[in-house]
Amino acid sequence: MLQYRNRNRERLALIEKGVDASIFMKGRQESTPMWKVYILNLAYLLIGSGLGIFIALLITTYTDLNNGAVYPSIIIMMAGIGLLAGFNKSKDLDKN
């Protein structure tokens, strides 16, 4: 709470001295809209889940692993990798 009060006092002092107030909005104008980040992460999540189902199908078809743990484990692992890829791609969107 004290940090916000001090920041407010500093801003008021700068405004009283006639400094341009646009320095406080720096960085907020250049950010990527959140809906683009959500759509991107959802797309990577669905792609990762689809790949997980496909890889689990291949594993159970061509190996002797037919127990029920293959599907959930591979799907969750690939979904996590997809979310990680989406996060990295979202960071690249903010840089542009």
Side-chain angles (χ1 to χ4, degrees):
M1 197 64 152
L2 185 63
Q3 177 185 6
Y4 294 119
R5 187 181 330 151
N6 288 338
R7 185 173 62 179
N8 189 28
R9 286 181 185 171
E10 289 173 356
R11 289 180 178 183
L12 286 175
L14 286 174
I15 290 171
E16 286 176 359
K17 291 181 181 180
V19 177
D20 187 21
S22 65
I23 62 171
F24 301 123
M25 298 300 176
K26 189 183 297 181
R28 292 185 183 182
Q29 298 169 348
E30 299 174 6
S31 66
T32 304
M34 287 304 295
W35 66 270
K36 287 184 179 181
V37 174
Y38 290 141
I39 295 292
L40 184 68
N41 282 328
L42 180 65
Y44 274 101
L45 175 67
L46 293 176
I47 291 169
S49 298
L51 281 174
I53 292 170
F54 181 69
I55 291 171
L57 177 69
L58 289 177
I59 288 173
T60 56
T61 302
Y62 294 113
T63 64
D64 291 334
L65 297 173
N66 288 327
N67 58 3
V70 172
Y71 275 94
S73 62
I74 298 295
I75 291 170
I76 290 171
M77 183 176 67
M78 291 304 293
I81 291 171
L83 284 175
L84 185 64
F87 174 73
N88 287 333
K89 192 68 172 176
S90 297
K91 286 193 319 187
D92 292 342
L93 280 178
D94 285 337
K95 289 180 183 177
N96 292 337

